[in-house]
């Protein structure tokens, strides 16, 4: 169990980037009391410090909010991805394998992650209770998918069991109702659906439609009626992207073939794009990937390269998500560099990974910025990400990670306390 964060802490002498998109503060500071941000601003202007406050000199490095990855799969292994291997594993083994990945993700600077298929309420509780170090988790349990869609990992000749760790099948609004209520009953914080086919599902293509608009609308309505839960749509081809946006989803995941028609609708409705460029830019391993998956992946990487920068240029709201699990775990902040390569400003990319991601998750009142009253999720990163955003993607540059005021990584011993978690 992490010790409760009782000692007040003043992190000072850093470049403060608070996640709001406001001007960075040179020689900035953050005061953390009881796991909460009490104050943030120029060091010279800090308020009176509570008795016993520990002062931590961050030596000119950068103070940032903890990052938020809106698209991970803790149950999936990374680049050596094979659904056949996953399907053959006992559930308990998948869970044990997820534990070090969760730690790795936290140490990469991600203090909150949304798992869009594979992790269940046990993963979330293991972190909440302090049993395992990891990012605060939001879970979708499994991806809902039509038969033969992106959540249907059966080989074409296989007519056997339909549900798997990652996918759960439903066809038509009536079955969609049952399926969405099923994942909500299992504690889903959000709902993941397949609005198109995908790369790793054996019997479809990324531009095949998944759920149709009436099915998607059914799901978004039911989710909204459960304390405003949001729906994330895996959507790669243009037709499915449009079905998803018209059906009322909160985010288009991947969005590789996004076009002006979809962009117009998303701007009108405030729909987020989570472009998962980390996985888009990860080359498939020809030794591991099935030939059909390899061919799909190579083609759709190019589709993403041509369409995503246009969506960025037109100002679609972007939240950071990596699809780590399909891409390698633990280097999540590479995504920020990819976003800048697609035309975002470094500050825009930092917002996508903090305050904008918090908006998408419905948690902007708790996380995503370093403002009074927010949870004290704080990252100290080496150097200045506004001049070298790519440095954040190398975990050795993430010097300190604090979640709810508790340090989980402290490579230089800045806190003066050993980290043994
Ligand atoms: Zn995914």
């Amino acid at each position: 169990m992490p010790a409760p964060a009782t000692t007040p802490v003043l992190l000072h002498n850093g470049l403060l980037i608070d996640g709001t998109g406001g001007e960075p503060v040179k020689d900035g500071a953050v005061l953390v009391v009881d796991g909460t941000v009490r104050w943030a601003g120029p060091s010279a202007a800090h308020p009176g410090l509570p008795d016993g406050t520990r002062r931590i000199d961050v030596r000119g490095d950068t103070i940032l909010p903890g990052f938020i990855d809106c698209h991970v799969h803790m149950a999936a292994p990374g680049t050596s991805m094979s659904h056949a291997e996953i399907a053959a594993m006992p559930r308990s083994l998948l869970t044990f394998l997820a534990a070090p990945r969760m730690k790795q993700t936290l140490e990469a600077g991600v203090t909150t992650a949304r798992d869009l298929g594979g992790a269940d309420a046990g993963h979330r509780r293991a972190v909440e209770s302090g049993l395992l170090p990891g990012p605060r988790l939001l879970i979708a349990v499994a991806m809902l998918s039509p038969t033969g869609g992106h959540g249907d990992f059966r080989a074409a000749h296989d007519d056997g069991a339909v549900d798997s760790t990652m996918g759960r099948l439903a066809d038509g609004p009536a079955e969609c109702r049952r399926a969405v209520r099923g994942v909500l009953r299992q504690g889903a914080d959000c709902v993941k659906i397949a609005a198109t086919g995908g790369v790793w599902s054996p019997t479809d293509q990324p531009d095949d439609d998944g759920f149709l608009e009436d099915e998607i609308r059914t799901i978004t309505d039911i989710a909204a009626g459960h304390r405003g839960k949001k729906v994330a749509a895996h959507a790669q081809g243009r037709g499915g992207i449009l079905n998803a946006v018209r059906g009322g989803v909160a985010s288009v995941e991947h969005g590789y073939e996004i076009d002006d028609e979809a962009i117009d609708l998303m701007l009108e409705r405030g729909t987020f794009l989570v472009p998962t460029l980390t996985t888009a830019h990860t080359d498939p391993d020809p030794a591991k990937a099935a030939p059909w998956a390899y061919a799909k992946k190579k083609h759709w990487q190019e589709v993403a390269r041509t369409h995503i920068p246009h969506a960025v240029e037109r100002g679609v709201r972007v939240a950071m998500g990596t699809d780590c699990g399909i891409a390698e775990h633990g280097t999540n902040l590479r995504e920020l560099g990819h976003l800048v390569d697609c035309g975002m400003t470094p500050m825009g990319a930092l917002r996508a990974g903090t305050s904008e991601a918090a908006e998408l998750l419905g948690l902007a009142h708790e996380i995503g910025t370093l403002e009074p009253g927010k949870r004290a999720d704080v990252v100290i990163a080496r150097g200045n990400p506004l001049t070298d955003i790519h440095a954040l993607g190398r975990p050795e540059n993430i010097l300190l990670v604090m979640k709810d005021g508790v340090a989980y990584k402290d490579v230089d011993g800045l806190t003066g306390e050993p980290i043994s978690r």
Side-chain angles (χ1 to χ4, degrees):
M1 282 289 276
T6 47
T7 309
V9 164
L10 181 76
L11 297 148
H12 69 99
N13 188 24
L15 176 70
L16 171 64
I17 298 178
D18 67 6
T20 64
E23 274 296 301
V25 178
K26 282 182 194 147
D27 194 7
V30 176
L31 177 61
V32 172
V33 181
D34 292 334
T36 302
V37 175
R38 172 72 61 87
W39 171 88
S43 291
H46 74 71
L49 302 180
D51 285 347
T53 298
R54 188 194 297 266
R55 298 174 66 102
I56 298 176
D57 183 347
V58 307
R59 304 175 305 197
D61 288 316
T62 303
I63 308 173
L64 295 147
F67 287 90
I68 302 167
D69 190 334
C70 297
H71 193 140
V72 300
H73 299 279
M74 293 301 177
T79 44
S80 57
M81 176 90 193
S82 154
H83 274 292
E85 281 169 18
I86 295 179
M89 280 182 193
R91 188 103 199 185
S92 54
L93 181 58
L94 285 173
T95 306
F96 290 132
L97 289 170
R101 295 174 194 146
M102 298 194 317
K103 181 169 189 276
Q104 221 183 345
T105 305
L106 181 62
E107 291 177 348
V110 173
T111 48
T112 303
R114 184 173 68 162
D115 189 293
L116 287 182
D120 66 17
H123 295 75
R124 186 180 58 203
R125 273 177 62 184
V127 174
E128 270 171 10
S129 66
L131 179 66
L132 293 177
R136 184 180 299 109
L137 282 181
L138 280 73
I139 55 158
V141 183
M143 173 169 55
L144 311 185
S145 161
T147 296
H150 188 48
D152 188 343
F153 298 112
R154 294 171 298 169
H157 57 80
D158 177 0
D159 201 21
V162 293
D163 293 337
S164 64
T165 303
M166 308 284 282
R168 200 164 290 183
L169 305 191
D171 294 286
E175 288 185 12
C176 284
R177 277 193 197 98
R178 179 179 289 279
V180 65
R181 286 175 181 142
V183 289
L184 293 169
R185 172 184 162 274
Q186 287 181 277
D189 300 293
C190 59
V191 178
K192 169 77 176 297
I193 64 164
T196 66
V199 168
W200 298 103
S201 35
T203 63
D204 63 4
Q205 291 292 328
D207 46 1
D208 288 342
D209 285 346
F211 285 131
L212 298 178
E213 190 183 334
D214 64 332
E215 295 169 309
I216 296 171
R217 173 56 63 190
T218 300
I219 292 167
T220 56
D221 282 349
I222 289 178
H226 284 69
R227 282 158 291 141
K229 296 214 163 74
K230 299 187 185 194
V231 177
H234 164 100
Q236 298 183 331
R238 68 171 296 280
I241 293 172
L242 285 167
N243 286 340
V245 178
R246 292 193 185 112
V249 304
S251 61
V252 168
E253 306 293 316
H254 318 303
Y256 297 153
E257 205 182 24
I258 189 169
D259 66 356
D260 279 314
E261 189 179 0
I263 291 168
D264 288 340
L265 264 181
M266 289 170 74
L267 287 170
E268 187 186 309
R269 297 178 183 211
T271 315
F272 278 88
L273 174 65
V274 181
T276 64
L277 298 165
T278 303
T279 188
H281 291 344
T282 299
D283 273 319
D285 180 349
K288 290 255 184 187
W292 50 262
Y294 185 85
K296 284 199 266 186
K297 178 87 185 182
K298 292 302 278 185
H299 173 71
W300 284 85
Q301 279 182 321
E302 279 316 302
V303 175
R305 282 203 177 91
T306 53
H307 288 74
I308 300 293
H310 181 62
V312 166
E313 188 190 345
R314 289 210 47 207
V316 168
R317 287 186 93 173
V318 171
M320 183 182 81
T322 58
D323 219 356
C324 281
I326 311 304
E328 196 184 343
H329 287 283
T331 55
N332 309 60
L333 299 190
R334 281 187 299 165
E335 185 73 14
L336 301 169
H338 292 316
L339 290 171
V340 170
D341 292 343
C342 276
M344 289 185 91
T345 63
M347 189 60 96
L350 292 173
R351 288 194 67 219
T354 55
S355 52
E356 287 290 276
E359 285 281 348
L360 170 58
L361 269 43
L363 294 175
H365 56 294
E366 287 183 44
I367 57 174
T369 65
L370 295 172
E371 293 176 295
K374 298 284 176 82
R375 290 173 179 270
D377 294 353
V378 186
V379 163
I380 307 298
R382 196 192 311 276
N384 180 352
L386 297 175
T387 53
D388 182 9
I389 193 84
H390 292 275
L392 286 174
R394 296 188 288 279
E396 65 269 24
N397 291 324
I398 304 299
L399 304 176
L400 181 113
V401 178
M402 192 179 264
K403 188 182 65 165
D404 287 324
V406 178
Y408 287 84
K409 179 187 188 183
D410 180 8
V411 292
D412 289 350
L414 292 172
T415 60
E417 287 175 337
I419 301 296
S420 58
R421 288 178 261 281

